[in-house]
């Protein structure tokens, strides 16, 4: 049933995205590991991108 599939996706996709974000935010992952996980979890409908920034404070 297509309607049931759409309703299921509407309920499950936000939970899946939240879970994926939680995994990608683990402190013990390297940047490369995060990129690999993001690529694995990405689909044509949902894409995860990883950004890395470096802050330098000079006193």
């Amino acid at each position: 049933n297509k309607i049931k599939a759409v309703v299921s996706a509407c309920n499950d996709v936000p939970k899946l995205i939240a879970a994926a974000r939680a995994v990608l935010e683990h402190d013990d992952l390297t940047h490369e590991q995060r990129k690999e996980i993001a690529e694995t979890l990405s689909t044509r409908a949902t894409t995860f991108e990883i950004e890395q920034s470096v802050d330098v404070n000079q006193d």
Side-chain angles (χ1 to χ4, degrees), residues 5-59:
V6 170
V7 170
S8 177
C10 289
N11 290 331
D12 293 341
V13 170
K15 292 177 187 177
L16 178 63
I17 291 172
R21 283 184 176 166
V23 168
L24 292 168
E25 291 174 355
H26 279 228
D27 291 338
D28 59 344
L29 295 175
T30 66
H31 182 70
E32 288 301 316
Q33 288 171 321
R34 284 185 174 96
K35 282 176 55 176
E36 288 177 20
I37 293 168
E39 289 173 10
T40 300
L41 295 176
S42 292
T43 66
R44 67 185 158 101
T46 304
T47 303
F48 295 92
E49 295 181 6
I50 303 300
E51 295 179 3
Q52 183 178 20
S53 65
V54 176
D55 294 325
V56 177
N57 294 322
Q58 195 172 19
D59 294 325

